[in-house]
Structures are given as structure tokens and as C-alpha cells.
Amino acid sequence: MSRTADILLTALAPAIWGSTYLVTTEAMPAGYPVTLAVLRALPAGLLLLVLTRCLPSRDWLGRSFLLGSLNFSLFWVLLFVAAYRLPGGVAATLGALQAMMVILMARGWLGTPVQSGAVAAAAAGVAGVGLLLIGPDASLDPIGVAAGLGGAASMAAGTVLSRKWQPPVSALSFTAWQLTAGGLILLPVALLVEPPLPPLTATNLAGLAWLGLVGAAATYALWFRGVARLEPGAVSMLGMMSPVTAVVLGWGWLGQSLTPVQFAGAVVVLGAVWAGQRANRPLRKRVPDAA
């Protein structure tokens, strides 16, 4: 499959993740962030384990729990803390710094060269997300900022390590291991810090099905497939598709306004994503001329 096809398939994941805010606010009971994260990750992970019939070996068990923590448990908890303590635009802009962090981590852990074009594209993407989402009433809470930066760093580390540690199994099995591990880590936290869920309605169950089956199982399988095939910097830039989708859904589904500044921000983000794919292309080795 061509690199363009790999990029498009991988981009589907963050584009669909952009629906998480809409589904959570419109179809989920409020006040249960960790419990909902467990219900999003654990059933999807167990279902994929049943379908793939592939359990991690002893050597991969520890790595699966570490990656599950970075990509799901720690990332989702910090994301919720940032969302509660910061305006959504500020939280999303801090999350967009993940692309810059991936470039630096890939240099240290994978030996990937830092290319100026990739850094410029990542910086432009962060600026575009800021234009897209940050309003005039934006405020900074120290705990929220720390959580936003920590969440970005957690997902960045998970992305780079997922590329560094490639198991001899399919992307679907790799996703199953991490989702199950992440859900198991979050389960005791949810039981300790949150009250029991109220009876779930049909709308709640439909929302959970979307978040778990599509927003977790299917999309993360595409994401980890892309991590294995594409350069870490290129993959991380695709994550900026999520806020664009969220704004488009808010405009089309909820009737929210879309200002010229937001429109310009969306254009900047899309341009940065495109530039990031070009800047992060693998360098071709020059074939020496025949003597």
C-alpha cells in the first residue's frame, strides 16, 4: 500500500476522535470521566482479544501495560483534568504540542533526525489550533496547564515507544493488548474516586458503543498501524485533525458559529498537516554513481 493511502487511513483515527466531545456531552451522563474511560477502553480491548485470540507473551506483558498507561490511562485522565480546569481551546492547543514532543522524543529514542521543516509544520499546527479554538475569555490554570502538557507528553511517549517496540502480531492484537491494559489500570481508579453510574439509557448505550467500538477499537487499530508504517513525526501531525473535526461537528450538528478567525485556523491546521507529511518523509539514500 502506498504512503498516501497509509496517511489517509491513519488520519481517519484522529478525525473520528474529534467526535468524542460531541458524543460525550450529548449522549453520556456528566461527571463520570474515569468510569467512561474504563467503559471505552476495557470492553473494546476484551472484545478484540476474543476476536484475535492473541495474548501478549511474558516479554510483552510489561510493555503492553506501560504503553496502555501512556496511550490510554494516563493520557485520558490528564486530558479530562485539563478539560475541566481550562477552556477547551487552551487544552486542545496544549495537546497540539504533542507533535513537537514526538519530534524530540523520536530523536532521542529512535535516532530520527530533526528536520527544520517538520518543526516549522508542528509550530504552525499549534498556532492554527490556537486560532481555531482559543477565545477571548481564555484563562490559564496552573494545574490545568500541567495536566495538558502532561497529557501531550504521555501520548507522545506512547506514540514513539509504540514505533520502537513493534511486536510480531497484527495492529489489531497490539491495540487489544493496550486497550485492555489501559482499562484495567483505570478500573480501580474509577471505583475509588467516582460514584456508581446511574441507569444507562438507550442514548447512553449508543454513545458508549460509538466511543468503544469505533472511537477506541477501530480507530486505535488504524492509529497503531500507521505508527508502524509512517514516521513518528508524520503520525503525530495527523492528530491535529481531531480539533478540526470537533469544530466542524459543532458547527454542523450543534449550530455553533464559525468565525473567520476559526476558519483561518482550520486552513492553517490543514496546511500544517500537509506540510508535516512532506517534511517527515523518509530521506532517500543517494545511490552512488557508477564509476
Side-chain angles (χ1 to χ4, degrees):
M1 185 174 289
S2 68
R3 184 175 184 272
T4 300
D6 288 334
I7 290 171
L8 293 175
L9 280 175
T10 308
L12 277 177
I16 292 173
W17 294 340
S19 68
T20 301
Y21 176 79
L22 175 66
V23 174
T24 301
T25 55
E26 297 297 310
M28 294 288 99
Y32 303 89
V34 183
T35 301
L36 293 179
V38 172
L39 293 176
R40 183 183 181 186
L42 190 54
L46 293 174
L47 176 61
L48 289 181
L49 284 179
V50 171
L51 293 175
T52 59
R53 299 182 181 181
C54 180
L55 295 174
S57 64
R58 182 179 301 178
D59 293 339
W60 275 97
L61 195 60
R63 291 181 178 181
S64 297
F65 271 88
L66 176 59
L67 292 174
S69 174
L70 292 172
N71 286 319
F72 300 108
S73 308
L74 184 60
F75 171 61
W76 281 349
V77 169
L78 292 175
L79 189 68
F80 281 125
V81 172
Y84 281 134
R85 302 187 69 102
L86 294 172
V90 176
T93 303
L94 291 173
L97 290 171
Q98 176 198 143
M100 197 77 71
M101 296 177 181
V102 164
I103 292 172
L104 298 177
M105 291 180 183
R107 177 68 183 92
W109 294 345
L110 304 177
T112 305
V114 176
Q115 301 182 49
S116 58
V119 174
V126 173
V129 172
L131 290 173
L132 184 65
L133 295 174
I134 294 181
D137 58 343
S139 59
L140 299 180
D141 172 81
I143 295 177
V145 170
L149 292 174
S154 178
M155 186 65 174
T159 298
V160 176
L161 289 177
S162 294
R163 174 61 181 260
K164 182 179 178 66
W165 297 333
Q166 282 295 305
V169 298
S170 67
L172 210 59
S173 293
F174 198 26
T175 304
W177 297 354
Q178 294 190 49
L179 278 172
T180 303
L184 289 174
I185 292 170
L186 285 174
L187 182 58
V189 179
L191 293 174
L192 287 173
V193 304
E194 292 183 352
L197 277 173
L200 297 178
T201 66
T203 300
N204 297 152
L205 293 173
L208 278 175
W210 173 264
L211 292 176
L213 297 178
V214 180
T219 52
Y220 274 99
L222 290 175
W223 182 255
F224 292 129
R225 176 188 178 278
V227 168
R229 292 168 175 257
L230 300 170
E231 304 71 36
V235 174
S236 65
M237 287 297 299
L238 296 175
M240 295 184 185
M241 295 297 298
S242 185
V244 175
T245 303
V247 169
V248 171
L249 286 175
W251 170 68
W253 192 283
L254 301 178
Q256 296 173 348
S257 61
L258 185 62
T259 66
V261 172
Q262 288 179 301
F263 183 79
V267 172
V268 171
V269 171
L270 294 176
V273 171
W274 175 81
Q277 303 314 302
R278 294 182 61 83
N280 284 287
R281 284 181 301 183
L283 297 175
R284 295 182 179 178
K285 294 182 180 181
R286 184 184 178 190
V287 179
D289 298 331

Short mmCIF file of all heavy atoms in Angstrom, two decimals, residues 13 31 45 58 74 135 152 177 191 206 244 263 287:
data_model
loop_
_atom_site.label_atom_id
_atom_site.label_comp_id
_atom_site.label_asym_id
_atom_site.label_seq_id
_atom_site.Cartn_x
_atom_site.Cartn_y
_atom_site.Cartn_z
N ALA A 13 -8.34 8.05 12.13
CA ALA A 13 -8.43 7.88 13.58
C ALA A 13 -8.63 9.20 14.30
O ALA A 13 -9.64 9.39 15.00
CB ALA A 13 -7.20 7.14 14.09
N GLY A 31 -20.09 13.91 34.68
CA GLY A 31 -19.47 13.73 35.98
C GLY A 31 -18.83 12.38 36.22
O GLY A 31 -18.50 12.05 37.36
N GLY A 45 -11.14 -3.55 24.39
CA GLY A 45 -9.93 -4.36 24.43
C GLY A 45 -10.23 -5.84 24.59
O GLY A 45 -9.63 -6.69 23.90
N ARG A 58 5.09 -13.20 27.95
CA ARG A 58 5.63 -12.62 29.19
C ARG A 58 6.52 -11.42 28.89
O ARG A 58 6.50 -10.42 29.62
CB ARG A 58 6.43 -13.69 29.94
CG ARG A 58 6.99 -13.22 31.28
CD ARG A 58 7.74 -14.33 31.98
NE ARG A 58 6.87 -15.48 32.24
CZ ARG A 58 7.30 -16.61 32.81
NH1 ARG A 58 8.58 -16.73 33.16
NH2 ARG A 58 6.46 -17.60 33.04
N LEU A 74 -3.10 7.17 31.55
CA LEU A 74 -2.56 8.47 31.97
C LEU A 74 -3.01 9.58 31.04
O LEU A 74 -3.41 10.66 31.49
CB LEU A 74 -1.02 8.38 32.00
CG LEU A 74 -0.28 9.62 32.50
CD1 LEU A 74 -0.70 9.95 33.93
CD2 LEU A 74 1.23 9.39 32.43
N GLY A 135 -10.63 31.38 22.55
CA GLY A 135 -11.46 32.57 22.53
C GLY A 135 -10.88 33.67 23.39
O GLY A 135 -9.89 33.48 24.10
N ALA A 152 -0.13 15.60 26.72
CA ALA A 152 0.54 15.62 25.42
C ALA A 152 1.83 14.80 25.46
O ALA A 152 2.13 14.05 24.53
CB ALA A 152 0.84 17.06 25.02
N TRP A 177 -4.12 -5.48 23.26
CA TRP A 177 -3.28 -5.53 24.45
C TRP A 177 -3.29 -4.20 25.20
O TRP A 177 -3.46 -4.15 26.42
CB TRP A 177 -1.84 -5.86 24.07
CG TRP A 177 -1.64 -7.20 23.43
CD1 TRP A 177 -2.58 -8.19 23.25
CD2 TRP A 177 -0.43 -7.70 22.86
NE1 TRP A 177 -2.03 -9.26 22.61
CE2 TRP A 177 -0.71 -8.99 22.35
CE3 TRP A 177 0.86 -7.19 22.71
CZ2 TRP A 177 0.26 -9.78 21.73
CZ3 TRP A 177 1.83 -7.95 22.08
CH2 TRP A 177 1.53 -9.24 21.60
N LEU A 191 -13.39 3.04 40.46
CA LEU A 191 -14.14 2.52 41.61
C LEU A 191 -13.87 3.33 42.87
O LEU A 191 -14.74 3.46 43.74
CB LEU A 191 -13.78 1.04 41.83
CG LEU A 191 -14.22 0.07 40.73
CD1 LEU A 191 -13.69 -1.32 41.01
CD2 LEU A 191 -15.74 0.05 40.60
N ALA A 206 -25.80 3.76 23.14
CA ALA A 206 -25.37 4.02 21.76
C ALA A 206 -24.09 4.85 21.76
O ALA A 206 -23.17 4.60 20.96
CB ALA A 206 -26.47 4.74 21.00
N VAL A 244 -10.09 19.97 14.35
CA VAL A 244 -10.80 20.45 13.15
C VAL A 244 -12.15 19.75 13.04
O VAL A 244 -13.19 20.38 12.80
CB VAL A 244 -9.94 20.21 11.89
CG1 VAL A 244 -10.74 20.59 10.64
CG2 VAL A 244 -8.65 21.01 11.96
N PHE A 263 -12.10 29.85 10.86
CA PHE A 263 -11.94 29.30 9.52
C PHE A 263 -10.48 29.38 9.09
O PHE A 263 -9.93 28.43 8.52
CB PHE A 263 -12.84 30.03 8.53
CG PHE A 263 -12.79 29.49 7.14
CD1 PHE A 263 -13.51 28.34 6.80
CD2 PHE A 263 -12.01 30.11 6.16
CE1 PHE A 263 -13.44 27.83 5.50
CE2 PHE A 263 -11.95 29.60 4.87
CZ PHE A 263 -12.68 28.46 4.54
N VAL A 287 22.09 6.89 -4.27
CA VAL A 287 22.83 5.78 -4.88
C VAL A 287 24.07 6.35 -5.55
O VAL A 287 23.97 7.25 -6.42
CB VAL A 287 21.96 5.04 -5.91
CG1 VAL A 287 22.76 3.91 -6.54
CG2 VAL A 287 20.70 4.52 -5.23
#
